[in-house]
Amino acid sequence: MTDQNVNVSGRLVVGRFRSARFISGRMASNKMLMVGGVIVAVFTLMAIFAPWIAPYDPLELHIKDRFSPPSASFWLGTDNLGRDILSRLIFGSRISFQVGAIAVSIAIAGGVLIGAVAGFVGGIIDDILMRIADALLAFPPLLLALGLVASIGPGLWTVSLAIGVVYIPRVARVMRGSVLVERKRDYVVAARVLGQSPWKILLFHIGPSTISPIIVVATIIFALAIIIEAALSFLGVGLVPPTPSWGIDLDVARHYLHRSIWMPLFPGIAISLAVLGLNLLGDGLRDYLDPRSYSTNAANTGS
Amino acid sequence: MTDSSPSDTLLSVHELRKYFHLNSSFLHRSGKTVKALDGVSLHIKPGETLGLVGESGCGKTTLAKCILNIETPSSGQILFEGARINDLSGENLKSLRRNLQVIFQDPFGSLTPRMRVSRILREPLDVHSIGKSDQRAQLVTEMLERVGLRADHGTRFPHELSGGQRQRVAIARALMVKPRLIVADEPVSALDVSIQAQIINLLVDLQREYHLSYLFVSHDLGVVKYISDRVVVMYLGKIVEAATRDDLFAKPFHPYTISLMSAIPVPRAGGRTAEVDVKGEVPSPINPPSGCPYHTRCHKSRSRCTTEIPQLRQQAEGHYAACHYPDREVKVDA
Amino acid sequence: MIFYIVRRLLQLIPVFLVMSIVVFMFLHLVPGDPVDAILGNEATEEAKASLRARLGLDQPLIVQYFMWAGRVLTGDLGNSIVNGGSVLDTILQKAGVTIFLAIGSVLLSVIIAVIGGTIASANKGTWIDLSVLGAALVGVSIPSFWLAILLMMTFAVNWQLLPSIGYTAPAEDFTEFVRHLILPVVTLGAIMAGALSRLTRSEMIDQLSQDYIVTARAKGLSKFEIVYKHALRNALIPIVTFAGLELGTVLGSAIVIERIFSLPGLGQLIVESIFLRDYPMVQGTILFLSLIFVLINLLVDISYTLLDPEIRLGGEQRND
């Protein structure tokens, strides 16, 4: 998918080109961080408190008010079955963020483990694991997710699992890279000289230093997971109607383009905003957590 | 250098070699070898400080890492209290670790970034089961105070400390296990000059208190002169001169040592040293010069120097140098 | 150079191996008995047994894999469970639409990106620059299927300028063929143009600050000549490379776009085959698209290496 390729695979595939940022500099990155953080926070709150915020049950049919435009009783209008679009959007954020959270957890758990082992153990194990990771990265992500969902079936958990698995190799690559850098640092040598066991060194010394890049990649995978879930649901192979998924709502909406512009408009805005927020957050965090700026800062605090 | 009886030697290194093979990927085999250590021998006595001097790339850090059992030497022996240590593993290695510790140049890189100081200092106690677990916090506090920090520094992260404070933490960590020998790899080079003196004095005090030996690695002869009992000078993986501190500074034999000494700033008026320029760059260890490794930069290189490798020979009582034409004329102010 | 190409080809062997195992597993990850999943619970035992034999499911997994992989190597992707037709033939028959869509949208995205990125870089920091960047940001963030719906709603439903869905073969009626492809191509092209114009802009800004540009300025060349003749020519290499890589990813996006516009391409084929539980068809199509994706990446890499002598050395030394 193009839209999701832009942030991660765009950067991975074209790693040798200069990274093309919209804005640069510390001030700008703080702004990105703030705007992205606010957007993501709003969606997170919406997802958590959906039942209390939403004016209606997202599945409740208001047969008399089908296709109604935004009004005092239905702020964003209703859909083809008279369901409140706003309520479906709010509950949709719950679905999106659930899928995102589960998929990211799976990708992080698998990727961190595999990447850490590959980077720390090295040798033939590293070679084999990274060859496999490269092969999995060579699949277009949506295609791989589609194939996995085709075999393990539709639903929130299977979709999240499929998306999570698709992004394991990406996390593994990032993790391995950090471990390779960190394990040469003096503090690791010092821990070895102290006689600390290799696995405790990996866990207590190297592990915490790899958190920053993992947080950044997790944010971006979160955005990708939201898009892929929406795409799978849109294609009819992801979540099952009448689940209030943004992707499902868009799929329904495209059949009623002549009746309602509100049905396709709002779910699309929701997806775009959520993805934009997460991408800004990811970019902002990347600059903010950059280990180089981190150590320069720290060095300046010297007496 | 001379063999010394095991009784008065803490650590001895015999004919140590460490070769790195470059870029031997599957399809490209360049076959190039870097001789990071090319037959190095030395020894350290209990309570003694051995200064190890040389420019970067001369193999001094590789030597330190071999002694610390971080790198495996290609050949040669390392003896600690007479027992061979270069292929230890398991419990034997662990008990060696208690006796052999390290301090690095960059105290920021050598402290785990996301660990509080108290945890950094407690870890060695946990690893080696030193003290009862409820006493360990007390031991950490005592050590913090011993190295000139306050107890509340224990709650900080390394990046919340100054460079000097960080190096004190690194020293404290090395001391937690009460080692016999500390390898100090450029321990003050990254610090401000004013702080350098404090740290050096701390090291000297601690040496007296704990009867420590130091292998003090540095490129700075000025610092080495201050702290060392004996000094070894390395050049391109080989020892080129070795003597007691006083002998070496009174009467250096090797032209390389002389050129290094001329680089020490001398504050006294009139006390000008014989200036000998270190000309040119250090040759690449991948393509070391034939004959004497120093001949490409030596001001008195002759034809013999380009073909024959000079051996380390006793030039005066307990004073060794590897030079075909050891300099006896040039005097350096000690 | 030949050595480099051969090495890159050899590196593809493990990639293909892992890919084929993953695609093979699509059938075997099905919870329970895949035959039940395909035929439903009411099917007779004979029907189940015959399908099981046809899919080779009665063999041990390893044997099944090697039999399947052996057939795939000879170009035999199996037969459809639904209509018995050859999977490869079906794929080749439907590939044309996807290829037209992919090439068209990549070309369009390059055109948009080069124009937008160049104008932005030549007016760096002005409102023109900012609006190009803003448009690119929108392109990066909105999902392709939503843009498709918006375009369809505007141009097909409201203004009735273009057909909303369907496809006409170019041989049949070329004008209709073009009319049906405009919206899908514009959708994909616009989405891709977002990232590409960011890249163009930064490449151009970089080029414009190079010494030779300063020299050209000193020689009195006009701003237009400098930007278009000199800087753009040099910036094009990375831009075209990126676009080539995008051609591969478009194959993924095409699935969704084909679904929206009812284009009978490979994406549509995958989705319909999933609905019909036609696993050989799903496996075959995904494998086919993935292989194309990998090969395009390889071609782009090789041509990049050919074009840019600076990269050539670095590329040969690269170890991974």
Side-chain angles (χ1 to χ4, degrees):
Chain A
M1 294 194 43
T2 314
D3 27 357
Q4 51 93 0
N5 159 280
V6 164
N7 246 286
V8 162
S9 62
R11 217 161 254 165
L12 287 178
V13 172
V14 230
R16 58 178 169 245
F17 303 120
R18 255 152 262 100
S19 88
R21 294 268 176 82
F22 286 100
I23 20 188
S24 52
R26 184 152 278 272
M27 286 283 282
S29 91
N30 281 342
K31 248 178 222 161
M32 283 198 289
L33 200 60
M34 239 173 56
V35 174
V38 166
I39 295 176
V40 173
V42 167
F43 273 105
T44 312
L45 290 176
M46 248 164 67
I48 294 172
F49 298 107
W52 293 277
I53 303 170
Y56 299 94
D57 181 321
L59 305 181
E60 188 187 346
L61 311 179
H62 308 268
I63 300 295
K64 285 183 189 154
D65 296 304
R66 295 168 69 210
F67 298 114
S68 67
S71 66
S73 40
F74 303 104
W75 289 6
L76 300 183
T78 58
D79 69 5
N80 58 316
L81 299 174
R83 294 174 296 194
D84 180 42
I85 292 179
L86 176 62
S87 301
R88 285 189 68 80
L89 275 196
I90 292 173
F91 275 90
S93 66
R94 198 169 231 210
I95 296 292
S96 285
F97 275 58
Q98 256 174 292
V99 171
I102 300 168
V104 164
S105 310
I106 292 170
I108 298 291
V112 162
L113 192 71
I114 293 171
V117 169
F120 195 63
V121 176
I124 184 98
I125 292 177
D126 181 30
D127 277 352
I128 292 173
L129 288 176
M130 285 306 114
R131 285 284 165 264
I132 295 175
D134 284 348
L136 292 175
L137 284 172
F139 278 106
L142 180 64
L143 218 50
L144 186 52
L146 202 58
L148 288 172
V149 167
S151 72
I152 59 180
L156 185 106
W157 282 95
T158 51
V159 166
S160 311
L161 176 69
I163 298 172
V165 168
V166 165
Y167 287 108
I168 285 178
R170 227 155 253 193
V171 179
R173 272 258 168 234
V174 171
M175 184 66 189
R176 172 181 177 269
S178 316
V179 170
L180 283 182
V181 170
E182 294 298 326
R183 74 168 194 180
K184 300 224 170 77
R185 306 263 307 266
D186 282 347
Y187 70 84
V188 174
V189 178
R192 284 174 65 189
V193 170
L194 278 175
Q196 187 57 284
S197 77
W199 295 109
K200 283 188 179 165
I201 291 177
L202 181 59
L203 199 60
F204 298 128
H205 293 267
I206 298 178
S209 305
T210 59
I211 285 175
S212 301
I214 294 297
I215 287 176
V216 173
V217 82
T219 315
I220 286 159
I221 290 176
F222 205 111
L224 298 176
I226 287 179
I227 291 189
I228 293 202
E229 181 272 312
L232 291 174
S233 299
F234 181 82
L235 290 172
V237 299
L239 302 193
V240 189
T243 312
S245 151
W246 296 337
I248 291 177
D249 287 1
L250 272 181
D251 183 37
V252 174
R254 78 189 169 95
H255 296 289
Y256 300 101
L257 294 182
H258 53 289
R259 296 290 307 271
S260 169
I261 61 165
W262 315 111
M263 280 174 66
L265 194 63
F266 294 120
I269 292 178
I271 300 175
S272 308
L273 261 183
V275 170
L276 177 68
L278 285 160
N279 279 342
L280 287 176
L281 188 64
D283 267 7
L285 284 174
R286 189 196 310 273
D287 292 346
Y288 183 75
L289 297 174
D290 189 317
R292 277 162 300 169
S293 60
Y294 182 65
S295 62
T296 338
N297 271 356
N300 289 343
T301 62
S303 63
Chain B
M1 293 175 75
T2 49
D3 292 302
S4 30
S5 58
S7 58
D8 69 335
T9 302
L10 184 65
L11 177 100
S12 60
V13 171
H14 298 281
E15 285 295 312
L16 203 68
R17 279 166 224 275
K18 175 69 184 176
Y19 296 172
F20 291 102
H21 300 283
L22 281 186
N23 192 25
S24 43
S25 76
F26 178 60
L27 289 167
H28 294 267
R29 192 151 304 215
S30 70
K32 289 207 170 122
T33 306
V34 178
K35 299 181 175 178
L37 293 176
D38 197 8
V40 170
S41 301
L42 51 80
H43 69 272
I44 301 173
K45 292 178 200 152
E48 179 187 53
T49 299
L50 178 68
L52 180 60
V53 182
E55 288 162 293
S56 62
C58 73
K60 55 195 195 314
T61 296
T62 307
L63 176 61
K65 284 189 169 167
C66 285
I67 291 172
L68 290 166
N69 254 281
I70 294 296
E71 297 271 8
T72 313
S74 309
S75 72
Q77 285 213 76
I78 306 169
L79 305 179
F80 190 82
E81 295 184 314
R84 184 180 157 102
I85 60 166
N86 41 324
D87 35 24
L88 289 181
S89 62
E91 281 307 306
N92 294 332
L93 181 59
K94 203 170 168 183
S95 64
L96 172 74
R97 300 286 191 213
R98 265 194 86 156
N99 285 315
L100 201 55
Q101 280 302 312
V102 66
I103 302 168
F104 288 104
Q105 170 174 16
D106 173 14
F108 192 66
S110 71
L111 300 177
T112 305
R114 287 174 203 269
M115 235 186 231
R116 286 183 202 280
V117 167
S118 56
R119 215 179 135 204
I120 291 174
L121 296 187
R122 197 195 156 103
E123 188 179 26
L125 301 179
D126 292 338
V127 168
H128 293 283
S129 316
I130 297 169
K132 295 208 184 84
S133 54
D134 52 335
Q135 298 169 343
R136 287 178 192 162
Q138 181 58 32
L139 290 173
V140 167
T141 309
E142 283 168 20
M143 187 56 77
L144 275 173
E145 282 161 3
R146 182 61 201 87
V147 297
L149 294 169
R150 292 190 312 272
D152 68 272
H153 282 115
T155 62
R156 308 225 188 137
F157 284 102
H159 63 86
E160 295 168 330
L161 301 174
S162 70
Q165 288 170 334
R166 281 181 216 139
Q167 198 59 298
R168 287 174 194 270
V169 173
I171 292 168
R173 173 180 56 190
L175 283 175
M176 290 312 292
V177 296
K178 302 271 155 42
R180 309 277 312 274
L181 172 67
I182 290 182
V183 174
D185 189 357
E186 305 261 11
V188 295
S189 318
L191 304 175
D192 289 347
V193 179
S194 58
I195 297 164
Q196 282 190 5
Q198 296 174 15
I199 297 294
I200 293 280
N201 287 331
L202 176 65
L203 287 173
V204 171
D205 291 348
L206 292 168
Q207 176 166 45
R208 232 168 275 146
E209 187 174 336
Y210 294 98
H211 198 62
L212 291 166
S213 301
Y214 290 130
L215 175 62
F216 193 96
V217 180
S218 180
H219 68 278
D220 181 350
L221 262 182
V223 175
V224 166
K225 183 177 173 183
Y226 181 78
I227 196 169
S228 305
D229 300 308
R230 286 183 304 119
V231 179
V232 162
V233 181
M234 275 184 76
Y235 188 76
L236 283 182
K238 286 181 175 10
I239 290 178
V240 294
E241 185 153 12
T244 63
R245 185 253 319 258
D246 294 340
D247 286 350
L248 186 86
F249 284 89
K251 199 175 179 188
F253 283 100
H254 200 283
Y256 178 59
T257 312
I258 294 163
S259 68
L260 283 180
M261 285 179 184
S262 71
I264 311 173
V266 177
R268 267 191 298 143
R272 293 227 4 121
T273 54
E275 292 272 352
V276 182
D277 284 340
V278 186
K279 55 180 180 185
E281 296 282 307
V282 188
S284 159
I286 304 168
N287 285 312
S290 60
C292 173
Y294 188 62
H295 85 256
T296 53
R297 297 163 79 191
C298 185
H299 68 286
K300 49 188 211 179
S301 164
R302 298 176 206 176
S303 65
R304 184 182 170 201
C305 301
T306 63
T307 52
E308 193 185 326
I309 301 176
Q311 298 303 312
L312 204 57
R313 271 190 295 268
Q314 181 154 310
Q315 312 288 351
E317 176 64 35
H319 193 150
Y320 299 79
C323 180
H324 294 307
Y325 306 101
D327 198 300
R328 287 156 211 272
E329 278 70 58
V330 182
K331 284 255 165 71
V332 173
D333 229 318
Chain C
M1 196 59 223
I2 301 227
F3 180 72
Y4 171 71
I5 294 172
V6 169
R7 210 160 57 93
R8 289 306 311 267
L9 284 173
L10 286 178
Q11 283 170 356
L12 285 186
I13 293 173
V15 171
F16 285 160
L17 182 73
V18 174
M19 272 191 157
S20 69
I21 292 174
V22 170
V23 169
F24 170 75
M25 288 312 289
F26 285 162
L27 176 60
H28 300 271
L29 286 172
V30 177
D33 188 345
V35 171
D36 281 342
I38 294 164
L39 294 177
N41 288 327
E42 311 88 55
T44 60
E45 279 307 313
E46 296 94 76
K48 284 187 184 173
S50 106
L51 179 62
R52 198 167 284 134
R54 225 170 82 205
L55 292 175
L57 289 173
D58 40 5
Q59 307 279 334
L61 204 58
I62 296 278
V63 177
Q64 287 185 47
Y65 171 73
F66 281 106
M67 283 170 54
W68 177 79
R71 284 200 305 272
V72 167
L73 279 178
T74 63
D76 176 10
L77 293 174
N79 291 308
S80 161
I81 291 176
V82 175
N83 58 26
S86 152
V87 168
L88 187 63
D89 288 349
T90 314
I91 290 173
L92 293 179
Q93 186 199 325
K94 305 231 171 197
V97 182
T98 308
I99 291 170
F100 286 133
L101 178 58
I103 293 177
S105 45
V106 168
L107 283 181
L108 180 67
S109 73
V110 172
I111 294 169
I112 298 176
V114 165
I115 295 175
T118 311
I119 291 175
S121 65
N123 299 284
K124 192 177 147 197
T126 65
W127 64 270
I128 301 175
D129 185 23
L130 287 178
S131 42
V132 170
L133 281 178
L137 179 61
V138 171
V140 168
S141 296
I142 72 175
S144 59
F145 44 94
W146 187 47
L147 181 63
I149 290 174
L150 293 182
L151 290 176
M152 189 192 267
M153 191 163 70
T154 314
F155 292 94
V157 177
N158 284 354
W159 298 347
Q160 312 238 326
L161 290 173
L162 293 163
S164 60
I165 57 168
Y167 177 72
T168 309
E172 209 175 299
D173 183 339
F174 192 76
T175 323
E176 277 305 301
F177 164 75
V178 172
R179 278 168 47 85
H180 278 101
L181 274 184
I182 287 180
L183 285 182
V185 163
V186 167
T187 307
L188 278 182
I191 293 284
M192 267 187 294
L196 206 50
S197 45
R198 282 164 80 167
L199 179 73
T200 310
R201 177 179 173 274
S202 65
E203 281 295 327
M204 285 296 292
I205 287 175
D206 203 54
Q207 286 297 333
L208 287 172
S209 63
Q210 302 273 320
D211 285 347
Y212 73 92
I213 295 289
V214 179
T215 316
R217 277 226 153 127
K219 279 199 296 191
L221 292 183
S222 77
K223 189 178 170 189
F224 183 85
E225 269 180 300
I226 290 170
V227 170
Y228 289 95
K229 273 196 175 158
H230 294 268
L232 186 56
R233 197 188 299 156
N234 286 299
L236 268 179
I237 296 177
I239 294 167
V240 169
T241 310
F242 186 47
L245 294 175
E246 286 286 280
L247 183 62
T249 42
V250 168
L251 294 173
S253 308
I255 297 171
V256 196
I257 299 303
E258 286 176 10
R259 177 101 185 126
I260 298 171
F261 292 101
S262 294
L263 298 174
L266 294 177
Q268 189 75 312
L269 179 63
I270 295 180
V271 176
E272 277 167 7
S273 304
I274 291 176
F275 290 150
L276 295 170
R277 300 190 171 281
D278 192 348
Y279 288 104
M281 194 67 87
V282 175
Q283 287 176 306
T285 319
I286 290 182
L287 189 63
F288 181 83
L289 279 174
S290 304
L291 292 190
I292 296 217
F293 180 77
V294 170
L295 289 177
I296 289 172
N297 274 291
L298 178 75
L299 279 181
V300 168
D301 245 23
I302 290 175
S303 49
Y304 190 83
T305 316
L306 284 173
L307 281 174
D308 192 337
E310 245 177 79
I311 299 294
R312 200 176 297 166
L313 261 178
E316 297 208 357
Q317 280 170 355
R318 217 168 35 183
N319 226 356
D320 47 348

